[in-house]
Amino acid sequence: MTLTPEPQDFETLRRSAIEFAQAASGNIWTDFNLHDPGVTLLEQTCFALSEVSFQATHTDEELLTDNKGDIRFGALSLFLPKETLPGKPVTLLDLAATLGEVEGVARVLVSRGPRIGLFNTVIIPARAEPGIDPKAQEAHVRERVKKAFKAHRPLGCDLHLLHVARRASARLAGDVKITGTAIPERVAAEIYYHISAILRGQGQDVGHQTRAGATRRIVYDDTLRFLHAPFDQDTKEPNLEDHLDRLRDIPGIADISTLSLTRRDFTLPQGEESAEAYYLDLNLPESLADIDLELTLDGVPLTLDPSQILEEFVHVSADHIARAQHHLDAKDWLPPKAGQRRSFALADVDALLPNVYRASAQTSPEAGLLVRYRSALNTHLSDMSASLRDLPTTLTALTDATSEDPSIQRQRVRLLDYLIAHQGEEMPPIHHAGLHLYRSAGERALFEMRWRLDFLEALPFLNRARGTGPDGNLPGAFLDKFLLLADLKHNPQNELAQNMTGLRIATEVSFDGAAPDFPRSELKLPDDPFDMLVRHKPKAQALSVEELKEASPWIADDVCAADAFRRSADPKSFLVSQLADDSFAVFFDAGHPTHLYSCASFITFDAAAGFTQKLRASWRALNERAEGAYLVEDILLRNAGSDFTPNVATMVLTGWTARTKQATYRAYVERLLEGLSPAHLLMRPLWMSQDEMANFEALHLQYLEGDNDAKRALRGLLADRMNPQ
């Protein structure tokens, strides 16, 4: 619902302005008649303001329509409801409905397994196409359902047992009285159709009442109907007596005395001794001998034509499919169309008055004051109108996304926070969180805008897939949201530790390495000590591996001390100083009280500064590339049995870089993890050293490839780290 402010007309503005003017004069101004010059000026201002007030009360569609006559919904972050409303399964019926959409599946039954978080699933396959091997189809259906379950499963859940139900044919018998205007074969076909739907667990709706499109109220109040989920999750044979009231609503039926199903024996596939699950499938009559359903008119039994029943059955099926709620109600779900682009031009205030009152016609000494007053009024009103005119641009999320103007940056951050709040979200507080350790002041402001913009653009997916866990190398919505807000990267290649070891650089706390070689006392200090610091260049090109090692004497035998590695990510740890021979040297301050590391020397300051920027960029990239997270759920690491802790997961995090070693950043990440985790799930953060991460990643990669030994070893590794002796 759009709340449009009431327009402020001239009389309302005039009355309010006179009250304000009287209060401002100390209540000594009492002459409000038209002859008073002050009233003339006041009325002129009110008339101009009433025009701006009228512009402000245009509809939202008109205010957001750009000069081309379009509303750019994506750019304005006005996402469609069907894009943002949660669409992933929450309940057993949600999950059954989702899996039931898999190709080759007629219905899926989902029930709870032996422990919390485990589900048993029974697949009722669709009828096999002629010429297709049933066993091959069954294998394909199994794999597709498993894949769909992994893609949609909630956090802390997994598949326990998966069975494919065997078909057991059934015959329908009963006594039905019909009306004189009914077509017998049509009524019989309707009965067969609805009994088949009941056997599939979708027998809620009968009759010929055409439904409207799915509205938001249906989604919230009757979600199962919208999803076409089976209402009965039990594989037992349905009691048709429970459905008689609805079946009597079929057009042409006067009454139904009895209805019953007779199950026939079914043949099991070779090698199977018993069916773990079966489903009833109604046999359609092919001859008079197959018809046990008796229709009577005024007590007289009617002879039914089997071929006509089959023909009517096809028509009934098509009719119900056409009326099914597979479509959305456009008025309730789709965004409004673009409105009429209004003109926001304002006439000059002076031109709105009779000639005798215009400033240009005045000759008195006070005329100059009147001209300046009306000019200022024109400027103020024009600014007000321009703010309305520019709304389609101002509210566009991408506008000024790369601006370096601090005032524009602050405005854009406020706007993006507003747009994010429209989606029911908010950005976490990051003051003193250590999030910007690697960034300069200018980079921080740009990151704040880009960070919010990325989050805003990701919200449709994050909301639709809320609460889903990782699927192999895909992170899932929960991990995706956490990584984005924690400023971490998803690493499907399992190479966080290798981003270090691949360069043959490792961090060892006990390693001292080569000692710094240049005494601080020999530095040639400039008049301004800040001249030794090199200006930050965000897009500086990193050095090659060999160049980096050659310029970093604190690396010895491809090993780097842990403290030196973390300090190298601080831009202030590198400086340039002039030497006695007038050359310029690049130094690294590793925190030694008396000495510095000398990295390289150059003839000019510019050359030394350029090299310093590349050196700093290289060490920063090493730290950033090594930062990431893995979500490991205990339920997925269980053995064939149920040896796991329900609703427990571990977030494995890099713990050796400059930022991830900071207590403030760790506290921020842990607060974030606690706030994002579903209420039923215990999420444990685990910060790992590089060696621990290398071991974890090796096992994790083997586990993803299906190695059960690696899965057991991975579970043992996490247990040892979370529960040290």
Side-chain angles (χ1 to χ4, degrees):
M1 178 177 178
T2 302
L3 298 177
T4 304
E6 289 295 328
Q8 299 295 309
D9 58 23
F10 172 78
E11 291 298 334
T12 303
L13 290 168
R14 184 182 185 277
R15 185 170 54 252
S16 300
I18 287 177
E19 292 174 357
F20 180 81
Q22 186 180 18
S25 69
N27 293 321
I28 62 174
W29 181 35
T30 58
D31 187 1
F32 310 134
N33 295 312
L34 296 179
H35 67 267
D36 188 277
V39 172
T40 302
L41 293 174
L42 182 145
E43 289 182 344
Q44 166 199 325
T45 304
C46 291
F47 186 81
L49 282 173
S50 67
E51 178 67 15
V52 177
S53 174
F54 169 73
Q55 294 176 350
T57 56
H58 293 336
T59 64
D60 291 346
E61 292 86 349
E62 292 170 342
L63 291 174
L64 294 177
T65 300
D66 59 22
N67 291 326
K68 296 181 179 179
D70 298 322
I71 298 180
R72 296 182 297 157
F73 292 97
L76 293 169
S77 300
L78 299 174
F79 306 118
L80 301 183
K82 65 179 181 179
E83 294 175 334
T84 59
L85 290 177
K88 296 299 181 180
V90 177
T91 66
L92 294 181
L93 291 178
D94 293 342
L95 193 56
T98 301
L99 299 180
E101 298 297 325
V102 173
E103 182 184 356
V105 172
R107 182 186 175 198
V108 174
L109 306 174
V110 179
S111 60
R112 299 195 182 279
R115 299 201 57 190
I116 294 175
L118 292 177
F119 296 111
N120 296 326
T121 302
V122 176
I123 303 170
I124 298 177
R127 293 189 177 184
E129 296 293 334
I132 297 180
D133 182 6
K135 285 191 174 182
Q137 183 193 30
E138 178 181 319
H140 289 314
V141 167
R142 280 178 177 271
E143 291 305 313
R144 282 195 289 263
V145 170
K146 287 181 181 179
K147 185 177 180 180
F149 183 91
K150 289 180 179 179
H152 297 91
R153 69 175 185 86
L155 275 171
C157 300
D158 197 19
L159 199 58
H160 179 57
L161 296 176
L162 177 65
H163 297 307
V164 177
R166 302 304 175 196
R167 178 180 182 272
S169 62
R171 292 183 62 160
L172 177 65
D175 296 318
V176 179
K177 298 177 182 179
I178 66 174
T179 63
T181 58
I183 300 174
E185 284 77 7
R186 177 74 179 195
V187 173
E190 286 274 5
I191 295 173
Y192 277 110
Y193 174 84
H194 288 294
I195 297 299
S196 297
I198 291 170
L199 295 179
R200 294 194 303 272
Q202 298 172 336
Q204 304 101 313
D205 301 324
V206 298
H208 278 267
Q209 296 181 357
T210 302
R211 296 184 175 274
T215 64
R216 298 188 198 187
R217 174 165 295 189
I218 289 178
V219 173
Y220 285 113
D221 296 346
D222 199 359
T223 308
L224 301 183
R225 180 178 298 170
F226 177 67
L227 294 176
H228 299 280
F231 70 93
D232 183 3
Q233 283 286 73
D234 197 345
T235 57
K236 65 180 183 296
E237 298 178 15
N239 182 3
L240 297 186
E241 299 293 327
D242 297 336
H243 301 270
L244 289 183
D245 286 341
R246 287 198 296 271
L247 292 172
R248 289 189 180 105
D249 292 335
I250 294 175
I253 291 183
D255 191 21
I256 299 178
S257 300
T258 59
L259 281 178
S260 62
L261 290 170
T262 303
R263 192 187 75 182
R264 293 184 173 184
D265 294 333
F266 54 95
T267 304
L268 293 172
Q270 187 175 0
E272 291 189 20
E273 297 180 358
S274 63
E276 296 167 329
Y278 70 89
Y279 66 97
L280 291 179
D281 191 15
L282 191 62
N283 275 356
L284 296 178
E286 297 179 356
S287 65
L288 281 174
D290 296 331
I291 301 177
D292 295 333
L293 182 67
E294 184 174 77
L295 271 62
T296 60
L297 176 62
D298 297 332
V300 178
L302 303 175
T303 302
L304 299 175
D305 183 351
S307 61
Q308 190 173 348
I309 291 178
L310 294 177
E311 183 178 341
E312 290 291 344
F313 185 87
V314 174
H315 294 162
V316 169
S317 301
D319 194 22
H320 281 275
I321 291 174
R323 293 201 310 270
Q325 292 176 333
H326 293 297
H327 63 286
L328 301 176
D329 181 28
K331 292 185 293 184
D332 205 36
W333 288 90
L334 299 180
K337 296 181 179 179
Q340 178 182 353
R341 177 61 178 175
R342 300 283 185 166
S343 173
F344 292 95
L346 290 177
D348 188 278
V349 173
D350 218 31
L352 300 175
L353 300 173
N355 187 63
V356 67
Y357 293 112
R358 293 179 183 176
S360 58
Q362 305 300 316
T363 58
S364 63
E366 293 81 9
L369 294 175
L370 189 59
V371 170
R372 288 198 296 273
Y373 165 74
R374 290 185 178 168
S375 176
L377 183 59
N378 279 328
T379 301
H380 182 63
L381 294 174
S382 179
D383 289 343
M384 294 173 66
S385 184
S387 65
L388 297 171
R389 180 196 65 212
D390 296 337
L391 277 178
T393 301
T394 303
L395 294 179
T396 300
L398 282 169
T399 302
D400 300 320
T402 59
S403 174
E404 296 184 2
D405 185 333
S407 63
I408 292 179
Q409 291 173 347
R410 289 191 295 270
Q411 179 188 25
R412 299 312 298 174
V413 166
R414 288 196 299 269
L415 171 66
L416 290 168
D417 283 337
Y418 173 77
L419 295 176
I420 290 170
H422 262 289
Q423 306 297 327
E425 298 280 350
E426 64 177 347
M427 302 302 292
I430 58 174
H431 296 296
H432 309 295
L435 195 71
H436 296 313
L437 178 68
Y438 305 131
R439 301 182 182 96
S440 64
E443 285 180 304
R444 293 175 187 179
L446 289 174
F447 170 80
E448 295 259 353
M449 285 194 294
R450 188 72 246 179
W451 185 45
R452 284 167 167 79
L453 188 57
D454 290 344
F455 184 63
L456 183 62
E457 292 175 339
L459 274 179
F461 164 73
L462 297 180
N463 285 331
R464 274 192 59 78
R466 181 178 298 170
T468 55
D471 175 19
N473 288 329
L474 300 176
F478 172 79
L479 183 57
D480 230 359
K481 187 173 185 179
F482 168 75
L483 292 173
L484 199 158
L485 295 178
D487 189 29
L488 298 172
K489 301 295 187 294
H490 178 51
N491 186 60
Q493 290 79 27
N494 289 264
E495 293 178 347
L496 293 178
Q498 290 184 14
N499 284 334
M500 296 286 298
T501 56
L503 296 172
R504 304 186 66 193
I505 301 171
T507 55
E508 296 181 4
V509 177
S510 60
F511 177 75
D512 293 330
D517 57 341
F518 191 88
R520 292 177 182 267
S521 58
E522 295 183 12
L523 283 175
K524 187 177 180 180
L525 299 177
D527 294 336
D528 185 352
F530 286 101
D531 289 343
M532 301 178 68
L533 299 178
V534 177
R535 184 177 180 180
H536 181 64
K537 185 178 180 181
K539 297 183 180 180
Q541 184 178 359
L543 300 171
S544 66
V545 176
E546 296 304 321
E547 289 174 331
L548 179 63
K549 289 162 57 178
E550 184 178 351
S552 306
W554 55 96
I555 299 176
D557 297 327
D558 298 330
V559 178
C560 174
D563 289 340
F565 173 71
R566 289 191 290 273
R567 287 181 70 93
S568 64
D570 183 359
K572 296 187 291 295
S573 295
F574 295 92
L575 51 93
V576 175
S577 178
Q578 192 172 14
L579 301 178
D581 60 358
D582 292 333
S583 63
F584 292 87
V586 179
F587 296 102
F588 171 63
D589 184 357
H592 194 277
T594 60
H595 285 73
L596 303 169
Y597 285 103
S598 56
C599 303
S601 61
F602 300 87
I603 298 176
T604 65
F605 176 83
D606 290 342
F611 182 82
T612 303
Q613 290 168 343
K614 293 180 180 181
L615 185 58
R616 289 191 309 201
S618 303
W619 282 104
R620 169 180 169 174
L622 275 180
N623 279 265
E624 288 182 320
R625 286 203 305 265
E627 293 180 350
Y630 299 96
L631 178 58
V632 183
E633 299 161 75
D634 197 58
I635 192 172
L636 301 182
L637 298 181
R638 71 188 188 283
N639 294 323
S642 303
D643 56 332
F644 68 95
T645 306
N647 297 331
V648 171
T650 304
M651 187 68 76
V652 178
L653 297 144
T654 300
W656 69 86
T657 63
R659 185 167 64 170
T660 58
K661 266 292 186 180
Q662 284 193 331
T664 53
Y665 180 75
R666 289 193 174 192
Y668 166 76
V669 168
E670 291 174 9
R671 285 196 306 270
L672 188 64
L673 196 59
E674 182 180 3
L676 295 178
S677 299
H680 71 282
L681 198 65
L682 173 62
M683 190 71 67
R684 307 175 299 179
L686 177 57
W687 302 91
M688 285 192 167
S689 68
Q690 186 204 1
D691 291 339
E692 291 170 334
M693 183 64 81
N695 187 21
F696 167 83
E697 288 184 322
L699 293 174
H700 189 251
L701 185 60
Q702 295 172 30
Y703 151 68
L704 292 179
E705 293 172 350
D707 189 328
N708 288 326
D709 292 336
K711 181 168 70 173
R712 287 190 289 271
L714 184 60
R715 190 174 185 211
L717 171 66
L718 296 179
D720 291 343
R721 285 287 283 109
M722 296 303 301
N723 303 295
Q725 298 297 326

